[in-house]
Amino acid sequence: MIATLLFGFAAFAQNETPPKTTPADEAVESATEEAAESATDGAVESATDEVSEVERQPESGADPGEDLAPKTSESIAEPSPHIQEIVVTGEAGGLLVKDDTISAIGFDPGVLQVEGIRDIRDLSNFTPSLEIKSAFAASNPTIYIRGVGLDDFNANAASAVAIYQDGVYMQSPAGQLFQFYDVEGVEVLRGPQGTLYRNASAGAILLRSNKPEEEFAGSVTSTYGNYELWEVKGFVNGPIVPDYLSGRLSGTWNIRDGITKNRCAAQADVPISEILTVRRPCNQTNALNTKRFIDPHLDDRTNDIDNWAARGQLLLDLPMGQIQNEWLLNVHGGQNRSRAYQYQHTGLSQSGRDRSNYIDIDGGDPFAGDYNIDGPENIDLWGINLRGAWLFGSGHDYELVSLTAYEWHDLFRRENTDGGARFLLETTYADTAWQLSEQLELRGPIRESKYGDGDWTLGVYYLKDELDVVNFFDKQGSADLLQEYTQEMWNFAAYGQMEYRLQPGCEPVSCDFTLLAGLRYNWEYKSFETVVIETPTAGQVRETLMGEDDALWDDWSGEISLAWNYSDDSNLYIKYSRGWKGGHFNGGAVSIFDIITGVDPEIVDSYEAGLRSHWFDQRLTLNLTGFYYDYLDLQVFVVEQTELGYPIPKLTNASDALVYGVELDLQGEPIDGLYLTLSAAWVESEYEEFVVSFSDRIRLPDPPVIIIPRRFDYSGNTLIASPNFSATGSIEYDIPLPGQVAGRGLGTLTPRFSFSWKDDMLYDPCGGRGIRCNFAPGFFGQDDYWIFNGALTWTSEDEMFTVTGWVHNFMDEHYKTQSLDRSRGIGVILDAYADPRTYGITATLAF
């Protein structure tokens, strides 16, 4: 009601009624036809690129600040980049497939820049129903959509939220954060995506890079902020062989001092003879009575940023008579040299001390601590993919797309697992992985008849992945633990999708309907081998455990929806989706009885209904979605702590789980230049049947050791990272500056304000009481919190210069992104916190 009054008043107050905008569907169809006809001109651009340009402004190749350019009265006839309805399932194999029955939120380059969204982890604060947790510097994000996801940070874990970068599925979590620069757009698809995407039982996040263009262009963006933040990113684009070959080179470089003070660094230059009198906590005597002093190279700040990434692309157009042919080569890579993340330490004794008698003395300061080691998180990665597209047939109605990709990474991380100043537990994680994938799609039309017309898509997909892992747990006073495992995985899928538009021509009420149906067959095979060695401090081998296993899983997934298009740009729809995610192997390393444990595939049946609507000549977009999930064998992450205190992360199945809720997305331009967004979500979730068993090792005189399983019932508890309510919003206003200097206008000033609110959320399946349910309710979780951001942008009249001053989290809200239970063995709770208030200035030069 408020929105209706606001927009109705705004429309009445206008001196001149703005021209009517082109409906989104008509624009898409027009662009597709133009792309097909462009072959005769030698302008070899696929319908995919043409559709993408119409649906998402600014055009690819525009500088990041271009989105904030002033809007003229004539430009209102085009859909505003701020008011964009995401009506695509994304790029499956690079092919853009239209679907207006998906609950999605999109981000254009301007919003990504002004909000400081550096990677997918930052999207959580701007997308209701999306939670992304991270306890690492530059890898292994854990992602939840509508309360469903995977908290597992094992190297062989595959999220229930599929991450696609330029159409390539990213299997490894170590490489999912490095391609967030020079992007055309990012979409978050909420809900199971059962036809076009792999392992997308909770949803998908799609990232699309800007592609090479014929015109020479480029931009350089530089940022300076507090904590000595320096960021430089840019691109250069242009023709190499006119009309045939063009290229684009882009990259980013980021450094920042740490946000957390390390008090142990003050001892770096103190003689060993004096170190005990300066501060005792920063050293420890081990079981062999030898001293372990702090690293003399410690910096006084930790949790820093130090990474770079680059991408080179070549676009080749090869006219072949009546066939339109295009090849796009993408080579990319990156490196992280940030230090491993340092946690906040809470000891569990009455005085707040851990098992080494250390206590954090700062009174709960989330950005200070005592850390005796500050190990690296080194990541090296590179990848290459080749996309070929052929348009053929009469009027170029058919399109064949091939996408071949290879990705590789190497990771080494040394973690201060006890989160404190004394040697209790240190962990080294190292893994190397590569993946090879191929996707082939064919798309064509369904012959038009008096009943309507449509399109179909057929595709096949292949993925081969190989992973080698070495994890070493070094515990004071106990046996060390070395865990090695290798996993090989083969995945194959065949799928088809059909969209048919029924147009009987009823009057005066529209009888236009759209039927969309898709089906995917999934086949996945994994082989897993592991070796676990326990050694006491003296170094001799104590116990060696070995195991191997393999499994084959196969099942179908898909969707069917029916939309009533009651006007040119609005519809009501109902939808059924079935999501599927393959099985998993854990390297348990607890005892000979469960050295390897298997996890069944998870299956979700999703029922959804929604409204997609435009009002007031497309000045207002209102989307409403209701959903209901019924999960079978939901995969849930837990950390089993051994008797010696080693945290062994693993997956287990919850037999049944239930999720339902409502989402609202609102975008509007009530008056020229004023842009408003509001998104909100209500989600209810519950484990209906979830019982897990952990093993306790008990030492007795005879027999010397027995294993006793203990059962814990999580049934009835709320799902992890599933707040009941969440909301985000923004307001932005373009103010053309009056006057001229040297015959030039003064440009446009754009203030922007945004907010995010999250309700209480829990970080374990026992209602925040810890994995073994031995803490107070909500102890492992985060209370509700608000985040406010502000920015002021100046854009020159010719849009070549953009300067933005920004403040993120300007109320300096301190909130946790993860809580880890290390109570057994070392008596510690670890918390990871999001960044405090940051501010700075960003300047862009486009040419």
Side-chain angles (χ1 to χ4, degrees):
M1 292 176 62
I2 294 174
T4 302
L5 290 173
L6 173 64
F7 283 87
F9 175 78
F12 177 80
Q14 291 292 306
N15 293 328
E16 181 178 348
T17 303
K20 184 176 181 179
T21 57
T22 303
D25 291 350
E26 294 177 9
V28 172
E29 293 171 4
S30 175
T32 305
E33 294 171 0
E34 292 173 6
E37 295 171 358
S38 65
T40 57
D41 301 330
V44 190
E45 287 194 337
S46 71
T48 297
D49 298 329
E50 292 293 335
V51 173
S52 179
E53 290 175 10
V54 171
E55 289 186 333
R56 300 177 184 86
Q57 299 291 333
E59 296 179 353
S60 89
D63 69 279
E66 184 173 325
D67 181 59
L68 304 178
K71 312 294 185 297
T72 64
S73 59
E74 290 78 12
S75 70
I76 299 176
E78 298 295 332
S80 167
H82 296 75
I83 308 176
Q84 52 177 329
E85 182 182 9
I86 304 300
V87 291
V88 294
T89 59
E91 296 182 28
L95 181 62
L96 200 67
V97 182
K98 182 176 179 296
D99 183 358
D100 54 6
T101 64
I102 287 182
S103 177
I105 289 186
F107 300 86
D108 59 37
V111 173
L112 295 175
Q113 175 170 300
V114 76
E115 295 289 6
I117 300 176
R118 299 187 184 92
D119 56 50
I120 61 175
R121 292 176 295 187
D122 296 323
L123 294 175
S124 174
N125 289 333
F126 304 94
T127 309
S129 301
L130 173 67
E131 298 299 327
I132 302 179
K133 304 193 297 173
S134 177
F136 303 103
S139 64
N140 298 65
T142 58
I143 310 171
Y144 293 79
I145 294 180
R146 293 175 175 172
V148 179
L150 199 61
D151 212 9
D152 194 351
F153 48 80
N154 274 310
N156 67 329
S159 174
V161 179
I163 307 298
Y164 276 78
Q165 296 180 355
D166 293 321
V168 177
Y169 172 76
M170 302 299 292
Q171 165 78 2
S172 171
Q176 295 176 347
L177 302 179
F178 277 83
Q179 296 297 308
F180 235 76
Y181 59 93
D182 190 28
V183 297
E184 180 186 4
V186 179
E187 284 91 41
V188 178
L189 311 185
R190 299 177 291 198
Q193 309 297 316
T195 303
L196 300 178
Y197 302 101
R198 177 181 183 272
N199 274 5
S201 55
I205 298 178
L206 315 178
L207 181 148
R208 295 171 291 103
S209 303
N210 283 311
K211 299 175 177 61
E213 294 182 333
E214 279 291 322
E215 296 183 3
F216 177 78
S219 78
V220 177
T221 299
S222 181
T223 296
Y224 176 75
N226 60 332
Y227 299 105
E228 295 299 318
L229 169 69
W230 285 100
E231 294 181 352
V232 178
K233 58 185 177 182
F235 77 91
V236 61
N237 175 97
I240 300 175
V241 179
D243 298 327
Y244 292 97
L245 181 65
S246 55
R248 189 180 188 98
L249 182 64
S250 53
T252 180
W253 172 71
N254 308 275
I255 60 171
R256 188 192 68 185
D257 286 349
I259 60 172
T260 301
K261 179 178 178 57
N262 185 2
R263 291 185 292 262
C264 281
Q267 297 186 36
D269 298 324
V270 176
I272 291 179
S273 60
E274 302 177 13
I275 197 167
L276 294 180
T277 62
V278 175
R279 181 164 172 77
R280 183 176 178 82
C282 293
N283 71 92
Q284 177 67 30
T285 301
N286 67 15
L288 298 180
N289 202 31
T290 59
K291 299 289 185 182
R292 292 173 60 97
F293 293 101
I294 63 170
D295 185 344
H297 303 293
L298 291 176
D299 289 338
D300 62 350
R301 312 290 302 185
T302 187
N303 294 342
D304 62 327
I305 293 176
D306 184 358
N307 59 64
W308 65 266
R311 182 190 307 119
Q313 299 180 85
L314 292 175
L315 180 63
L316 177 64
D317 292 338
L318 289 176
M320 301 170 60
Q322 297 300 314
I323 298 178
Q324 186 175 347
N325 186 210
E326 174 185 280
W327 292 93
L328 177 64
L329 177 66
N330 182 320
V331 181
H332 50 270
Q335 190 176 76
N336 180 74
R337 289 299 181 264
S338 308
R339 293 187 293 275
Y341 191 89
Q342 295 285 3
Y343 306 99
Q344 289 300 307
H345 173 289
T346 302
L348 293 180
S349 69
Q350 290 186 350
S351 61
R353 298 178 184 273
D354 62 19
R355 298 291 170 84
S356 73
N357 207 33
Y358 164 73
I359 183 172
D360 189 346
I361 65 169
D362 57 27
D365 183 354
F367 302 108
D370 301 297
Y371 308 110
N372 61 322
I373 62 169
D374 197 4
E377 184 173 299
N378 293 341
I379 304 174
D380 298 279
L381 60 117
W382 73 275
I384 182 172
N385 61 72
L386 178 65
R387 176 186 182 274
W390 297 264
L391 287 174
F392 58 94
S394 176
H396 294 113
D397 293 333
Y398 296 89
E399 182 174 18
L400 178 65
V401 178
S402 169
L403 180 60
T404 307
Y406 177 85
E407 299 288 336
W408 172 90
H409 85 263
D410 182 75
L411 179 146
F412 177 86
R413 177 171 60 243
R414 186 183 179 208
E415 179 186 81
N416 186 17
T417 310
D418 55 53
R422 297 179 175 180
F423 169 49
L424 270 179
L425 180 61
E426 300 170 6
T427 307
T428 299
Y429 301 96
D431 62 79
T432 300
W434 62 267
Q435 70 173 60
L436 177 66
S437 63
E438 168 64 32
Q439 187 158 349
L440 192 65
E441 281 191 355
L442 177 64
R443 185 185 186 191
I446 298 175
R447 181 176 300 178
E448 184 176 359
S449 69
K450 63 179 181 179
Y451 301 107
D453 59 7
D455 300 284
W456 53 263
T457 300
L458 296 175
V460 292
Y461 177 78
Y462 169 79
L463 173 67
K464 170 68 167 66
D465 176 82
E466 187 170 314
L467 171 70
D468 294 294
V469 176
V470 178
N471 297 330
F472 181 67
F473 301 87
D474 186 6
K475 188 174 186 296
Q476 188 270 337
S478 299
D480 296 331
L481 188 69
L482 176 66
Q483 180 191 64
E484 299 184 27
Y485 64 83
T486 298
Q487 177 177 284
E488 295 186 12
M489 186 270 292
W490 290 264
N491 177 269
F492 172 79
Y495 57 90
Q497 180 168 288
M498 178 273 295
E499 181 186 56
Y500 194 77
R501 297 173 290 274
L502 299 168
Q503 300 172 335
C506 302
E507 292 182 359
V509 178
S510 172
C511 289
D512 292 349
F513 294 90
T514 300
L515 175 66
L516 187 144
L519 191 67
R520 182 185 185 100
Y521 171 72
N522 306 279
W523 181 96
E524 186 163 302
Y525 173 80
K526 287 182 180 179
S527 66
F528 189 88
E529 297 182 8
T530 185
V531 176
V532 178
I533 302 174
E534 278 191 270
T535 59
T537 309
Q540 68 269 26
V541 174
R542 175 181 176 181
E543 185 178 14
T544 299
L545 306 175
M546 302 179 64
E548 61 180 87
D549 203 350
D550 61 14
L552 171 65
W553 303 281
D554 67 298
D555 209 335
W556 66 273
S557 58
E559 62 187 301
I560 183 169
S561 65
L562 180 64
W564 172 40
N565 309 304
Y566 62 86
S567 70
D568 290 339
D569 52 13
S570 301
N571 70 64
L572 290 166
Y573 73 90
I574 55 174
K575 181 178 183 179
Y576 165 76
S577 303
R578 189 176 199 260
W580 183 85
K581 180 177 177 293
H584 177 81
F585 285 116
N586 294 308
V590 177
S591 73
I592 192 64
F593 302 106
D594 59 358
I595 180 65
I596 297 178
T597 55
V599 179
D600 294 330
E602 72 177 27
I603 299 172
V604 57
D605 291 304
S606 170
Y607 307 90
E608 188 172 305
L611 166 70
R612 303 289 179 261
S613 64
H614 298 274
W615 306 80
F616 307 110
D617 290 330
Q618 292 198 357
R619 285 188 175 272
L620 173 66
T621 297
L622 188 152
N623 295 336
L624 188 65
T625 306
F627 60 90
Y628 179 93
Y629 291 172
D630 186 6
Y631 263 95
L632 176 66
D633 290 325
L634 175 67
Q635 295 176 5
V636 183
F637 173 77
V638 296
V639 178
E640 180 167 3
Q641 300 175 77
T642 69
E643 179 71 15
L644 297 178
Y646 303 118
I648 306 299
K650 59 190 297 185
L651 290 185
T652 187
N653 288 118
S655 299
D656 295 288
L658 189 68
V659 184
Y660 56 91
V662 176
E663 294 162 342
L664 170 69
D665 299 307
L666 185 70
Q667 302 179 61
E669 185 182 3
I671 61 175
D672 293 352
L674 176 62
Y675 308 102
L676 307 173
T677 68
L678 176 65
S679 296
W682 164 65
V683 177
E684 290 286 345
S685 62
E686 179 183 343
Y687 299 112
E688 290 193 300
E689 184 178 348
F690 188 13
V691 179
V692 65
S693 178
F694 296 133
S695 298
D696 283 342
R697 178 184 296 188
I698 299 178
R699 298 184 180 277
L700 297 173
D702 187 20
V705 176
I706 62 174
I707 304 297
I708 298 179
R710 294 187 58 192
R711 291 166 58 87
F712 297 90
D713 191 349
Y714 301 148
S715 303
N717 292 332
T718 301
L719 271 61
I720 298 172
S722 178
N724 285 131
F725 297 96
S726 57
T728 66
S730 68
I731 179 170
E732 182 176 308
Y733 189 42
D734 290 341
I735 306 173
L737 298 177
Q740 291 185 337
V741 174
R744 293 180 176 271
L746 298 182
T748 303
L749 202 61
T750 305
R752 178 183 174 89
F753 169 80
S754 64
F755 73 89
S756 173
W757 176 70
K758 304 284 187 180
D759 203 355
D760 299 347
M761 70 181 77
L762 305 173
Y763 291 155
D764 67 59
C766 194
R769 299 179 57 207
I771 293 298
R772 292 175 176 252
C773 304
N774 55 340
F775 291 87
F779 186 86
F780 293 91
Q782 171 61 49
D783 294 337
D784 68 297
Y785 63 91
W786 290 84
I787 299 174
F788 300 103
N789 304 314
L792 183 63
T793 299
W794 172 79
T795 305
S796 66
E797 184 182 38
D798 56 9
E799 302 180 8
M800 291 183 61
F801 300 97
T802 302
V803 179
T804 301
W806 49 267
V807 181
H808 301 147
N809 188 13
F810 62 72
M811 297 299 290
D812 200 22
E813 182 76 22
H814 298 167
Y815 60 98
K816 293 179 287 187
T817 60
Q818 182 65 283
S819 289
L820 304 173
D821 184 355
R822 301 289 186 266
S823 55
R824 289 172 60 85
I826 62 177
V828 171
I829 301 300
L830 301 177
D831 295 318
Y833 278 81
D835 287 355
R837 176 173 49 235
T838 56
Y839 50 87
I841 187 169
T842 299
T844 297
L845 169 63
F847 53 88

